[in-house]
Amino acid sequence: MCIRDRSYVIRTLDDYFETLVRAIQENGGEVLKFIGDGLLAIYRIEDDTTSARERACRQALKAARAALVSLDALNEGRVAAGDAPLRTGIALHHGPVMYGNIGARDRLDFTVIGRAVNEVARLENLSAKLERPILASAAFAASVNDPSLRSFGFHAMKGLREPREVFGE
C-alpha cells in the first residue's frame, strides 16, 4: 500500500477525528486521547444510579450513530474526490474506571484505566471481524435497553476468561 504525502495523511486523520469528536462532544462525551487512528472517549456517570447509567449509555449510543451519519457525509466527499471511504469501529461499554495522570516523571498522560477500558478495547477489535460499525457489551445493551441492539453471540476476547455476549446494530 502506498501512503500519500504527510499532509494528506494528517488532513485525512483531522477530517476523520473532527467527525467523531463533534458527535461525541455534542452528545455529552469527553475525548480523552487520540491513539493512532483511534480515540478514547468517556461519558461520566456522576452517581451510581440506574437512571444515570442509562442516560450516559443513551448519550454514547446517540453519539455513535451521529458519528456514522457524519462519516457517511465525509465519505461522499472523499469518494467524489477519488479517495477511498473511511471506515470505523465504535465500541460501547460501561463499568468502573480509575483516572488520573499516569506515566513517568517526565511524561504524564491523563487517562482512565481498569477492566472496563480493557474490555471496550477488546470489543472494538471485534468490529472488523463482525463487520459491524457499532458494537456494545451486554452491560451496555442492558443499560440502554434499545431494541435496535441485537446479539451477535458470545465471543472470546484476549485477557478475558469467559466469552462475552456482543451486541450491535
Side-chain angles (χ1 to χ4, degrees):
M1 177 176 141
C2 178
I3 296 180
R4 294 186 188 194
D5 64 46
R6 179 180 190 274
S7 62
Y8 174 82
V9 173
I10 291 171
R11 187 174 57 252
T12 298
L13 286 171
D14 285 346
D15 290 345
Y16 171 72
F17 284 134
E18 181 64 33
T19 297
L20 298 179
V21 170
R22 185 178 330 112
I24 292 164
Q25 291 176 336
E26 287 176 355
N27 289 284
E30 179 180 345
V31 175
L32 291 186
K33 64 177 60 197
F34 299 101
I35 309 161
D37 64 354
L39 64 83
L40 174 63
I42 62 169
Y43 287 78
R44 295 176 189 259
I45 301 173
E46 298 300 333
D47 56 68
D48 192 28
T49 63
T50 301
S51 63
R53 278 192 306 277
E54 181 182 352
R55 184 173 40 259
C57 289
R58 285 194 180 284
Q59 288 175 307
L61 183 57
K62 185 176 177 184
R65 289 171 174 158
L68 292 180
V69 169
S70 294
L71 187 59
D72 284 345
L74 174 65
N75 281 334
E76 285 179 18
R78 289 182 56 78
V79 169
D83 293 322
L86 302 174
R87 294 175 297 148
T88 194
I90 300 170
L92 303 170
H93 178 57
H94 79 74
V97 298
M98 294 180 282
Y99 61 90
N101 290 314
I102 297 177
R105 180 179 26 193
D106 295 342
R107 175 65 172 96
L108 294 173
D109 188 28
F110 182 81
T111 193
V112 292
I113 59 172
R115 285 185 180 166
V117 178
N118 295 339
E119 190 166 335
V120 78
R122 304 308 185 262
L123 188 60
E124 189 275 331
N125 288 335
L126 280 176
S127 66
K129 177 183 171 187
L130 296 178
E131 298 179 346
R132 306 304 321 167
I134 298 174
L135 291 181
S137 68
F140 184 94
S143 290
V144 76
N145 194 25
D146 186 311
S148 69
L149 291 177
R150 68 182 205 279
S151 178
F152 284 93
F154 286 79
H155 297 269
M157 292 186 235
K158 180 182 170 188
L160 301 175
R161 292 178 196 215
E162 302 287 328
R164 300 289 203 262
E165 189 171 16
V166 174
F167 292 77
E169 293 187 328

